[in-house]
């Protein structure tokens, strides 16, 4: 019995919202995602505060998250919804 389905593993990456670094300790990744940064995260973004007529921009932190995702695919030479086509 030859395997007709060869699932592809995809790695999806995302970043959490930019917040003040001191508040970023407890930031969680969305459900199903794994946090790959720790502590306050990475200071690679800016967040904004509106004060009366001005908008101030500050350096903020965010976490990077990944999720492994299996994408069903047929092996080479097979096709169709159940990979039975040749």
């Amino acid at each position: 019995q030859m395997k007709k389905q060869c699932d592809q593993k995809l790695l999806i990456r995302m970043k959490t919202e930019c917040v003040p670094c001191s508040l970023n300790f407890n930031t969680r990744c969305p459900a199903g995602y794994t946090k790959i940064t720790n502590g306050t995260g990475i200071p690679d973004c800016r967040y904004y505060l509106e004060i009366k007529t001005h908008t101030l921009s500050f350096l903020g932190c965010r976490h990077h998250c990944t999720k492994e995702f299996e994408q069903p695919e047929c092996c080479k030479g097979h096709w169709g919804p159940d990979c039975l086509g040749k």
Side-chain angles (χ1 to χ4, degrees):
Q1 169 76 11
M2 263 191 54
K3 206 162 143 261
K4 295 175 179 64
Q5 187 147 339
C6 297
D7 292 349
Q8 292 276 46
K9 272 195 161 81
L10 297 180
L11 203 62
I12 302 171
R13 296 172 181 275
M14 59 90 57
K15 294 170 183 170
T16 58
E17 206 181 328
C18 192
V19 296
C21 294
S22 58
L23 298 180
N24 202 35
F25 268 106
N26 303 322
T27 302
R28 294 196 168 149
C29 293
Y33 283 84
T34 306
K35 195 190 275 191
I36 55 169
T37 45
N38 42 33
T40 53
I42 299 177
D44 65 348
C45 60
R46 299 193 81 79
Y47 67 96
Y48 301 91
L49 284 184
E50 285 184 31
I51 298 168
K52 292 191 178 130
T53 56
H54 293 79
T55 301
L56 303 180
S57 142
F58 300 93
L59 183 68
C61 288
R62 56 189 174 176
H63 283 291
H64 294 206
C65 313
T66 62
K67 178 184 190 177
E68 210 171 70
F69 181 75
E70 295 243 321
Q71 180 161 323
E73 264 188 33
C74 297
C75 299
K76 205 172 171 63
H78 293 275
W79 51 268
D82 44 14
C83 301
L84 293 179
K86 274 188 181 295

